[in-house]
Structure formats: C-alpha cells, structure tokens
Amino acid sequence: MTCTNHDETSSLIHERTGVWYSSLGSLWMFLHHIGFTCQRPEQRASERDEEAVRTWREETWPRVKEPRRTSTPGSSSRTNPPPP
C-alpha cells in the first residue's frame, strides 16, 4: 500500500462503506481500532552500499567518536567554579 493523505483515505472508506470521516482525529481512531499504525518508509538510497556502511561503523566511527570526559571533583558548572 502506498502512502496516502487524509482526503484520499477518507474518500476510499466512503466509497466502500458509505461512512464519511471528516476529521483527521476520527479517521485516525478508526484506523487504529482496526489495527493500522502510523508507519513511514525507510529513507535509504537505492545505491547504498551495506558493506561500506558496516565497515564505517565498525572501523571509522570508533576512531572519530570523541571519548567521554572523565569526571573530576568539584563543580560541573563552567560559569560557577568550585570554591577554593
């Protein structure tokens, strides 16, 4: 099934059942009641190279990712340093 908007969905339901859902809220409640959920298609390029992505995640990302700072005693506020 393709993505449709409120008007298209309401029209289809009206054609098949004779029931007209004029508000988005009532249409959403009806669709939810019969088991439909909000879904979006994955946004991936058709040219995506899964092997290159895996290699980047496993090898490049750990080198690029900034390590977490270790905590030091005192205030964590940069504007209000701890008293001497």
Side-chain angles (χ1 to χ4, degrees):
M1 185 170 156
T2 62
C3 272
T4 58
N5 64 27
H6 172 255
D7 294 334
E8 293 170 345
T9 306
S10 292
S11 296
L12 179 65
I13 292 172
H14 180 70
E15 287 174 15
R16 295 195 179 182
T17 67
V19 178
W20 187 258
Y21 289 95
S22 60
S23 77
L24 184 57
S26 59
L27 176 61
W28 181 88
M29 286 183 0
F30 168 73
L31 292 173
H32 183 71
H33 180 73
I34 63 172
F36 282 84
T37 59
C38 295
Q39 298 178 357
R40 293 184 180 172
E42 290 184 3
Q43 298 292 324
R44 292 201 172 142
S46 59
E47 303 87 12
R48 181 176 164 132
D49 182 356
E50 294 297 332
E51 182 62 27
V53 171
R54 185 194 62 75
T55 302
W56 185 87
R57 276 194 194 135
E58 292 176 0
E59 297 174 11
T60 307
W61 176 243
R63 288 182 285 142
V64 173
K65 184 179 175 185
E66 181 179 321
R68 292 183 179 211
R69 291 181 282 179
T70 58
S71 61
T72 58
S75 174
S76 61
S77 173
R78 294 181 194 165
T79 59
N80 188 12

